[in-house]
Each structure stands twice: as structure tokens, then as C-alpha cells.
């Protein structure tokens, strides 16, 4: 009962905040709404016993990436009038619609097939030890590949920034 | 539903809040008196209640009354929602960070295991890093919403500084993950044990990580020598320049809460947390009567001696008013507390109705009390260290701050992480 109430609370907050991210007028408010969405999603993860994922969600997205977003918005001092200059919802409307429909279909398929997959999740799922074990045994190659990609991105960013200095 | 469990959780939350918040007035007093001591002046010594000034300890009460009743001015062109939200974020994030820090060993009473912390998450340290990284929003939003150039500059400086030093902090913490093989703070403290030679700081990578964490926590708490977001001489007051009354007090308190939290994490990671030096939990529980007599008897002796020192300063007719009697009042207060300590140490077991310390429950309670006291003492030392540094070192320049973070701390941190890996491997191979 308690868990269900909390789930609906987090779900409603995250959906409303996500809508505000798209529809909001003030860039800073949109960024803060995105942080609220991420925080509410972290709450949903906690309800699924996935403490590690929830913590990383807050640490990486809300605590690091969004700080940079807000930092840039503050540095450029973007206001509502800057947002109005760029047309929204006009171009790529069709593509966005297709993507949204595809996402919704994927989600629906997930819900339908949930019962079949739920049994595969063992105890301690989502904990730090379990995720680390999977990451360094079963998924070691994708994991290392991602770190190589990130390294390349960092080097690329430095090269591009240095050229303009 | 398990109502007893719920009540215990509620008590744990409240206890944690009380533990942190009771540090604040003492720290603010220590900051003022410490500054005065270092600058060779008397410091706050005027505010009094019926002639008793308690060496300036009454001053924080006067401050709180002033901050509560002052007019709360909201400037006209601020962005209201964030202007009001920012102090709340700053304060609540600072408080919530402490939730996973254990204040004492787990209690076993009535078939329950009660940890003396709000939650013993298995991602404990990551939780601290995650929540602490949210603290920057309070400062950023305050700086942005105030619609003031100085405030905006303060907010920008703060966010750049906190992102930069979070990396060094994360690397230092990563070393401790490696050394202890866990992220759960409870397990970390237990792995360190009561012997100071086993504490986190007592190994080469641990010592380097400690220094890095110390430097980074100065930057994260925005304290001197890294207080550029406030920088009175450059930015007036930085991000909180447009705040007044209790909203300002929230930022002010958040700074001290952050200090307590940083000191608490330092102690937990590197200085054995709640462990009483050389005396493990089992020793306390097994030898409870003797430990109680030594601990409380010693405390009573110190208090009596302090009372005697206070009485020795009694000079009748020095001021010609109530202030003359102040040393007597202080001495009597100290002696009453000393009597209380003696009673707690010696009476249980003698009075019918109260079980003696040979009782397992009483022994556990004794261990908890001593460990919380030890933890508070260690935290107080590091909080004093923060104050000491603040009034000793001048402020860094912004480029120096950035160079220190990125060109010195970051390479040292990465090197230290490799060193820690080698260390752990070597100690498991050759059992160092």
C-alpha cells in the first residue's frame, strides 16, 4: 500500500515535470524541472530496490550533467525571450511523433511481457555488489568499450577546445 | 504493520537531526571565539541572561532571536520561486547528506538490530557523493534568482568550484572503497576496528586520500581558503547578497551543517568513525561496570576541576553588579553536571529498579553512549580544524583554485588510485 502510494507520487511528479521541461517558457525553470524528473525517477528506482541505479542517477545526471546545463544557461544568461526566437514543435514534428509512438509501443510491450521476465530477477538485484559482478564478468567487453568511447570523447573535446584558444 | 519498527525509524531520524543541529550554536560560538583568539581580541562577551554570559555562549541565542524577528526583505526584481526555494535546498540537502553516517555500533535489543543511523544503504558513500552534489543547486539558484551581478558571479564560481573538487573527492573516496572493499559506511568503520593503526589514515594510499579529501571538503563547503563564492572583498557576499533575516540564516546554518557533515565523513572514513580508541564494542559490553566507572568518573573529575578554575576567578566587587557572581553560577552548573555523571556511572545496580552494567542491555546502552560521545568529539575536533584554517590562511585567487584542483589534486588522485590497487593486491598476496 505504502509502496504503491509512493510509486504513484513519484510517477505523477516525474511526468508533470517532464511535460514542463518541454512546455516551459523559462530555460532555467525547464532545467530545474528536468532535475525534478530525474530525482523522481531515482525514487522509482529505489522502490524497485535498485539503490545503486538510483544513487548513480542522482550522482551523474542530477548532480553533474544538469549542473553543467544550468551553469551554461546561467553563463549565457538565457531568458524566456531567447527561447521564443527558436521555433519549437515546428520542424521534426513528424519524426518526433514517430519516435514517441515507437517508445510508447516499446513500453506497452514491456508491460505485457513483464510477468515472464520478473521471475529472472534474483534477490539483491540492483545492489552495488551484484551490478559490479555483472559489469566485470558478463558485460566486461561492452563496459571497456564504453570507457574507450568516453576517453575518445574527452580527447576530442580537449582537441576542439585547444584549437580555439 | 510493524508500528514499533516505524517508531524506531522515526526516533533514528529525529536523533540524527538533533545530533547535527546541536552542533550549530556551539560551532558558531567557537568560530567567533576562535577568530577572536587568533586575532588577539576578546570576541563576543556582552550578551547576557541575568548577568550570566557563559563566555559568549549566550550570543548565539541573541543571534537567533535577531534573525527570526528581523524584517524579511524580498527585493522587487528577484525570480520569486527560486529565490524562496534556494535556501531550503541548501539547508535540506546539507542535513540529508548525514543520513548514512553511523553514530555508534549496531544495537541488538529485543531481537532487533538497530543501526544508529538513518539508513545503512549498501551504496552508502555513493549516496553521500550523490546528495552532496545536489547542494550546489541551492547556491546556483540563489545566485541566479537574486538578479544581481555579484550574486550571479558568486553562483557561477561556486558551481565551477564544486564540480572541479567533486572529482578529487570522488577519487579520494574511491581509494577507500578499494582499501575496505565496501561502500557501506557501517562495514568501513567495523573494518577499521578500535586500534588506531588499523584506521583508514594509517596506510600510504589512505593518508594521501585523507589529505585530498580534506582539501576537497574545504572547497565543497565553500570555506576559506576556498570561499570565493562569498568573497566579501570582491563580491560583497556572493550568492546570498540579496538575502536577509531567516533566509540568510538558512544559508549561514547550511554552511555549518556542511562543516559538521564533512567532518563526520572524514572521521568515518579515515579516523575510525565511532570507535573508541583501543576499546572495542565487545570490550565495553563485557567490562561495562569498570568502563562506566572510569569514563563517567573521569568526566566528573574534569568537570569538578573546571568548576574550581571558575571559582578561582571570582572577584567580589569587580563590576559591582550581577556579573560578579558569574563564575559561581558557572561552577555550580559544572558541579551539578559532574554529580549527574557520577550518578550515571556508579548508581545503576545499587538502586533497586535499575539494572547494573553487568546487564546486557545496560552494557549496550553504555557502549552506544560512549561511541556517540567519541564520534561527537572527533567531529568537534575536525570542525575546530575548519575554523582554525579559516582564520589562518588567506583566500586563494580563482586561477590558483582551479590550478590546484585540476593540475595537482587530479593527477595525484589518479596516481593514488593506482597505488591503492597495488597496495591492496600486495597486502593480500604477502599479508602486509
Amino acid at each position: 500500500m505504502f509502496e504503491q502510494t509512493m510509486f504513484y507520487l513519484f510517477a505523477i511528479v516525474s511526468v508533470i515535470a517532464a511535460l514542463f521541461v518541454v512546455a516551459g517558457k523559462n530555460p532555467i525553470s525547464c532545467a530545474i524541472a528536468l532535475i525534478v524528473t530525474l530525482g523522481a525517477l531515482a525514487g522509482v528506482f529505489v522502490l524497485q530496490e535498485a539503490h545503486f541505479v538510483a544513487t548513480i542517477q542522482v550522482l551523474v545526471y542530477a548532480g553533474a550533467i544538469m549542473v553543467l546545463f544550468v551553469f551554461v544557461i546561467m553563463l549565457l544568461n538565457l531568458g524566456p525571450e531567447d527561447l521564443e526566437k527558436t521555433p519549437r514543435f515546428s520542424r521534426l514534428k513528424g519524426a518526433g511523433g514517430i519516435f514517441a509512438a515507437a517508445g510508447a509501443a516499446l513500453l506497452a510491450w514491456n508491460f505485457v511481457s513483464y510477468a515472464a521476465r520478473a521471475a529472472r530477477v534474483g534477490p539483491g538485484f540492483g545492489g552495488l555488489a551484484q551490478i559490479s559482478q555483472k559489469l566485470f564478468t558478463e558485460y566486461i567487453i561492452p563496459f571497456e568499450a564504453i570507457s574507450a568511447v568516453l576517453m575518445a570523447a574527452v580527447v576530442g573535446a580537449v582537441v576542439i577546445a585547444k584549437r580555439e584558444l | 504493520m510493524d508500528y514499533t519498527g516505524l517508531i524506531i525509524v522515526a526516533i533514528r531520524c529525529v536523533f540524527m537531526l538533533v545530533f547535527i543541529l546541536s552542533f550549530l550554536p556551539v560551532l558558531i560560538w567557537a568560530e567567533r571565539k576562535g577568530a577572536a583568539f587568533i586575532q588577539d581580541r576578546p570576541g563576543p562577551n556582552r550578551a547576557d541572561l541575568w548577568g550570566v554570559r557563559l563566555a559568549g555562549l549566550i550570543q548565539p541565542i541573541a543571534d537567533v532571536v535577531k534573525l527570526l524577528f528581523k524584517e524579511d526583505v524580498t527585493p522587487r526584481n528577484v525570480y520569486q520561486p527560486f529565490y524562496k526555494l534556494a535556501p531550503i535546498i541548501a539547508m535540506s540537502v546539507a542535513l540529508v547528506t548525514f543520513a548514512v553516517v553511523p553514530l555508534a555500533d549496531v544495537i541488538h535489543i529485543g531481537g532487533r538490530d538497530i543501526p544508529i543511523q538513518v539508513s545503512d544503504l549498501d551504496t552508502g558513500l555513493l549516496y553521500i557523493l550523490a546528495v552532496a552534489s545536489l547542494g550546489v543547486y541551492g547556491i546556483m539558484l540563489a545566485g541566479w534568482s537574486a538578479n544581481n551581478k555579484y550574486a550571479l558571479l558568486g553562483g557561477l564560481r561556486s558551481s565551477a568550484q564544486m564540480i572541479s573538487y567533486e572529482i578529487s573527492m570522488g577519487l579520494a573516496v574511491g581509494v577507500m572503497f578499494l582499501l575496505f572493499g565496501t561502500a557501506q559506511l557501517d562495514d568501513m568503520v567495523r573494518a577499521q576496528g578500535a586500534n588506531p593503526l588499523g584506521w583508514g589514515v594509517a596506510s600510504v594510499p589512505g593518508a594521501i586520500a585523507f589529505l585530498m579529501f580534506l582539501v576537497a571538503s574545504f572547497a565543497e563547503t565553500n570555506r576559506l581558503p576556498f570561499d570565493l563564492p562569498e568573497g566579501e572583498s570582491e563580491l560583497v557576499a556572493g550568492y546570498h547578497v540579496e538575502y536577509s533575516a531567516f533566509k540568510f540564516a538558512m544559508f549561514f546554518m547550511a554552511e555549518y551543517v556542511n562543516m559538521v557533515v564533512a567532518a563526520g565523513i572524514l572521521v568515518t572514513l579515515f579516523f575510525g568513525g565511532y570507535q573508541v580508541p583501543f576499546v572495542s564494542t565487545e570490550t565495553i559490553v563485557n567490562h561495562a561496570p569498570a568502563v562506566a566507572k572510569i569514563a563517567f568518573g573521569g568526566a566528573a573529575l574534569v568537570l569538578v576541576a573546571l568548576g574550581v578554575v571558575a571559582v578561582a576567578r571570582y572577584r567580589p566587587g569587580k563590576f559591582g553588579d550581577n556579573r560578579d557572581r558569574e563564575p559561581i553560577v558557572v561552577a555550580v552548573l559544572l558541579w551539578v553536571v559532574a554529580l549527574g555523571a557520577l550518578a550515571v556511572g556508579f548508581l545503576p545496580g545499587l538502586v533497586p529498579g535499575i539494572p547494573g552494567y553487568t546487564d546486557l542491555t545496560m552494557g549496550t546502552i553504555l557502549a552506544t553512549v560512549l561511541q556517540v560521545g567519541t564520534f561527537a568529539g572527533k567531529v568537534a575536533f575536525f570542525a575546530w580544524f575548519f575554523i582554525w584554517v579559516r582564520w589562518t590562511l588567506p583566500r586563494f585567487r580563482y586561477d590558483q583554485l582551479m590550478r590546484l584542483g585540476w593540475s595537482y589534486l587530479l593527477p595525484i588522485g589518479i596516481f593514488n588510485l593506482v597505488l591503492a590497487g597495488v597496495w591492496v593486491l600486495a597486502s593480500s598476496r604477502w599479508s602486509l
Side-chain angles (χ1 to χ4, degrees):
Chain A
M1 183 57 209
F2 174 72
E3 265 182 38
Q4 216 161 31
T5 322
M6 291 308 279
F7 172 77
Y8 281 118
L9 190 72
F10 284 131
I12 290 168
V13 167
S14 68
V15 168
I16 289 175
L19 284 177
F20 192 82
V21 177
V22 189
K25 289 264 185 320
N26 194 336
I28 286 250
S29 307
C30 293
I32 299 297
L34 187 50
I35 296 164
V36 173
T37 312
L38 294 168
L41 278 181
V44 173
F45 287 140
V46 168
L47 289 177
Q48 309 291 324
E49 297 283 314
H51 294 133
F52 179 69
V53 180
T55 317
I56 291 299
Q57 165 102 350
V58 174
L59 179 62
V60 174
Y61 287 101
I65 293 177
M66 286 315 294
V67 172
L68 287 179
F69 275 42
V70 177
F71 185 82
V72 169
I73 295 172
M74 275 167 59
L75 201 63
L76 300 178
N77 211 1
L78 296 177
E81 60 284 350
D82 297 297
L83 215 54
E84 272 161 21
K85 276 183 227 149
T86 52
R88 283 188 296 172
F89 307 126
S90 54
R91 268 178 269 162
L92 299 174
K93 209 186 259 174
I98 292 168
F99 271 113
L106 206 64
L107 207 63
W109 181 78
N110 255 311
F111 281 133
V112 171
S113 65
Y114 175 75
R117 286 173 302 116
R120 270 195 275 159
V121 172
F125 170 78
L128 182 56
Q130 285 77 17
I131 287 192
S132 315
Q133 225 136 38
K134 285 246 177 218
L135 216 53
F136 284 100
T137 52
E138 218 176 315
Y139 298 104
I140 180 74
I141 292 170
F143 180 67
E144 293 298 334
I146 286 174
S147 55
V149 170
L150 284 176
M151 196 67 204
V154 170
V155 172
V158 170
V159 167
I160 291 171
K162 277 276 177 192
R163 195 185 296 151
E164 293 189 1
L165 275 179
Chain B
M1 268 186 95
D2 180 13
Y3 283 110
T4 332
L6 270 184
I7 290 167
I8 289 173
V9 169
I11 290 174
R12 269 153 54 186
C13 296
V14 171
F15 178 68
M16 191 60 105
L17 277 181
V18 170
F19 181 85
I20 304 175
L21 291 179
S22 55
F23 263 100
L24 293 190
V26 182
L27 273 185
I28 291 168
W29 171 78
E31 177 103 81
R32 296 211 170 134
K33 275 294 187 189
F37 173 70
I38 287 168
Q39 296 169 349
D40 203 13
R41 58 187 173 83
N45 63 355
R46 288 295 187 275
D48 69 310
L49 285 177
W50 306 287
V52 179
R53 299 162 300 173
L54 285 176
L57 259 176
I58 303 297
Q59 187 69 43
I61 300 176
D63 286 344
V64 169
V65 171
K66 183 196 87 170
L67 287 166
L68 274 175
F69 288 101
K70 221 175 153 181
E71 187 190 354
D72 192 351
V73 182
T74 306
R76 196 179 305 135
N77 289 325
V78 300
Y79 188 67
Q80 289 270 357
F82 293 158
Y83 178 81
K84 286 180 177 152
L85 195 64
I88 300 173
I89 295 179
M91 185 71 185
S92 50
V93 163
L95 283 172
V96 164
T97 319
F98 216 57
V100 292
V101 176
L103 301 183
D105 210 344
V106 180
I107 306 183
H108 311 277
I109 288 181
R112 284 175 194 279
D113 291 348
I114 306 168
I116 310 296
Q117 75 208 83
V118 174
S119 169
D120 50 351
L121 282 175
D122 67 338
T123 52
L125 258 181
L126 289 173
Y127 167 87
I128 289 179
L129 285 178
V131 177
S133 67
L134 294 179
V136 68
Y137 289 117
I139 293 173
M140 278 173 101
L141 288 180
W144 182 80
S145 67
N147 199 12
N148 175 317
K149 287 190 178 63
Y150 291 124
L152 185 64
L153 275 174
L156 285 175
R157 278 182 179 191
S158 161
S159 39
Q161 170 180 333
M162 284 174 93
I163 294 174
S164 308
Y165 279 82
E166 227 162 63
I167 297 169
S168 312
M169 196 177 241
L171 283 172
V173 164
V175 168
M176 301 326 278
F177 284 156
L178 269 179
L179 290 180
F180 295 127
T182 176
Q184 208 167 342
L185 289 159
D186 238 15
D187 292 347
M188 279 188 168
V189 176
R190 217 162 293 132
Q192 294 182 54
N195 188 345
L197 285 178
W199 288 356
V201 75
S203 68
V204 178
I208 299 174
F210 163 64
L211 289 176
M212 278 181 60
F213 193 93
L214 191 65
V215 173
S217 56
F218 275 107
E220 293 280 311
T221 50
N222 293 320
R223 297 269 305 175
L224 235 95
F226 301 129
D227 76 331
L228 293 118
E230 288 173 44
E232 292 89 345
S233 48
E234 306 157 23
L235 299 180
V236 194
Y239 58 89
H240 58 59
V241 66
E242 294 288 1
Y243 284 89
S244 56
F246 210 71
K247 290 203 192 80
F248 164 74
M250 295 274 272
F251 282 115
F252 191 64
M253 288 193 293
E255 182 183 329
Y256 285 90
V257 172
N258 274 323
M259 251 166 80
V260 175
V261 170
I265 297 166
L266 259 176
V267 165
T268 309
L269 285 182
F270 302 103
F271 289 91
Y274 55 72
Q275 304 272 11
V276 185
F278 302 110
V279 189
S280 66
T281 315
E282 290 78 43
T283 320
I284 297 177
V285 176
N286 292 339
H287 305 276
V291 171
K293 286 191 179 77
I294 293 170
F296 289 107
L301 266 183
V302 171
L303 289 169
V304 168
L306 284 175
V308 171
V309 170
V311 168
R313 293 178 58 156
Y314 176 55
R315 304 264 183 287
K318 186 183 174 191
F319 298 104
D321 56 21
N322 265 336
R323 276 179 286 172
D324 282 346
R325 286 187 285 281
E326 190 180 46
I328 305 293
V329 174
V330 172
V332 169
L333 277 177
L334 286 173
W335 286 337
V336 167
V337 177
L339 262 182
L342 277 182
V344 171
F346 290 88
L347 279 189
L350 301 179
V351 182
I354 304 173
Y357 283 114
T358 41
D359 187 68
L360 196 62
T361 313
M362 285 298 277
T364 316
I365 292 173
L366 175 72
T368 307
V369 168
L370 287 184
Q371 284 172 340
V372 172
T374 311
F375 186 75
K378 288 176 182 175
V379 169
F381 171 77
F382 277 101
W384 162 248
F385 185 79
F386 278 101
I387 292 168
W388 185 11
V389 168
R390 170 169 180 185
W391 297 102
T392 307
L393 294 180
R395 184 181 302 137
F396 274 58
R397 227 171 42 218
Y398 199 69
D399 59 318
Q400 292 170 330
L401 170 93
M402 283 295 153
R403 198 176 323 128
L404 178 70
W406 289 102
S407 321
Y408 297 109
L409 281 185
L410 189 62
I412 292 174
I414 293 171
F415 165 76
N416 194 28
L417 203 61
V418 176
L419 180 70
V422 174
W423 186 275
V424 169
L425 197 66
S427 53
S428 68
R429 274 283 159 79
W430 299 296
S431 62
L432 285 173

